[in-house]
Amino acid sequence: MRLTALHHTALHHTALHHTALHHTALHHHDGGLDLAGVAPVACWLVLAAAGYLLGLRRLGGPGRSLRAGARRLGRVRVGAFAGGLGSVAAALLPPLDAVADQRFSTHMLQHMILVAAAGPLLAAGSPGLPLTLALPRRARRVLALARHVLRRVPRRPVAAWAGHVGVLWLWHLPGPYELALRDPMAHLVEHACFLGTSYLLWTHVLSSSRSRLNPPAAILYLFATALPSAALGAVLTLAGAPLFPGQAAAALASGADPLTDQQLAGLVMWIPADLVYLGAIFALFLAWMDGPREMSAARPSVASPASGGER
C-alpha cells in the first residue's frame, strides 16, 4: 500500500511539473546548449585560467617566463590548479550537466565533484599569488587593504568550516534544493556556494599561505568536516521515502525508481567524500610523524659544535 501511494504521489507531482520537465527536455535535446548555465561557467573558467597564467608569467621575473613562474610557485601546485579547473568543467558543463537534473544521483555527483575534487585542487594550486599579480597595481592595493581588514576576523578556519557545513546542509534541504531545480540563477548560486566554501575550507589545509593549519589541527579540522557530510549522506541513504518531490518526479519521468535514486545519491555523498577526507587525514598524519624525525635528525648537527666547544 505504501509503495502504491508513493507511486501515485510521484505521478501526480509529475503531472504538476510536466511543463517544466518538458521545457528541460527541449532545452537539452533540441540540438543546442543550455547557454544560461554553460556561459557563466565557461567565462569563469577562461578568466581564471588566463589570470593564473598571466600571474605565473609575472611571477617568473624580468624575463616573464611562464616556466620560471611555475617553478617558483611549484609545478605540483600549477598542476593541481589545472586539475581543479578541469573538475569544475567536468561537473558543470555537458555532458554531465545536461543530465544532472533528471536524477538525484547524477546531480549529487556534480556536487561531490565540486566539494571533494575541485575545491581541494584549486586550494592546493595556491591561486592567491598568481591571480593577485595578474591584477593592475591599483586593484592590488585595494586587495591588500581588504586582506588587512579580513585578517582581523578571528578564527577564520572555524568560519570556513561553519560556512561549508552550513551551505552543504542548507542546499540539501527540500525547499532550497527544489528552488535550485526550478530557478537557473539559484542553481548557479548553489554551485558557487559549494565550490567557494570548499575552496576556503581546504585553503587552511593545502595552501602555501600563512592560514595553513599545522598537521594536528588540520587532522581535527577535516575529521570535524567529514562527520556532518557523512551524516547528511546517511540521512539520504537510509530515508524510507523520497525527500524531494520534484527530484522524485524527474527521476520517475526518466525511468528510475525515486527512492533507489535517492539512496544512490546518498551513497555518492557518503563514500567518495569520506574517502577524500580520510586520505587527506592519513597524509597529514604521516607528515606529522615525519616532522619530529626530521627535527631529531637535525639536532645532533646543531648541538655537536657546542658540545665540542665545551670540551
Side-chain angles (χ1 to χ4, degrees), residues 175-232:
Y177 182 88
E178 299 224 327
L179 173 64
L181 287 181
R182 297 191 305 267
D183 188 346
M185 183 56 65
H187 205 175
L188 187 64
V189 171
E190 176 195 41
H191 290 160
C193 288
F194 288 144
L195 181 61
T197 58
S198 176
Y199 168 79
L200 293 176
L201 177 89
W202 284 94
T203 293
H204 298 290
V205 179
L206 298 176
S207 75
S208 58
S209 65
R210 296 177 183 177
S211 62
R212 182 174 177 174
L213 297 170
N214 58 55
I219 289 172
L220 294 176
Y221 188 63
L222 291 180
F223 183 75
T225 306
L227 292 179
S229 176
L232 181 56

Side-chain angles (χ1 to χ4, degrees), residues 242-264:
L243 303 176
F244 307 91
Q247 186 69 79
L252 192 64
S254 68
D257 177 69
L259 183 57
T260 303
D261 184 42
Q262 179 176 284
Q263 292 170 341
L264 181 58

Side-chain angles (χ1 to χ4, degrees), residues 11 67 79 98 134 173 178 210 226 234 238 246 277:
L11 287 176
R67 291 184 178 180
L173 294 175
E178 299 224 327
R210 296 177 183 177
L238 302 177
Y277 293 130

Side-chain angles (χ1 to χ4, degrees), residues 101-120:
D101 291 345
Q102 298 176 16
R103 298 194 180 185
F104 198 0
S105 53
T106 52
H107 202 167
M108 187 62 73
L109 179 60
Q110 266 191 319
H111 295 175
M112 289 302 101
I113 292 175
L114 294 175
V115 168

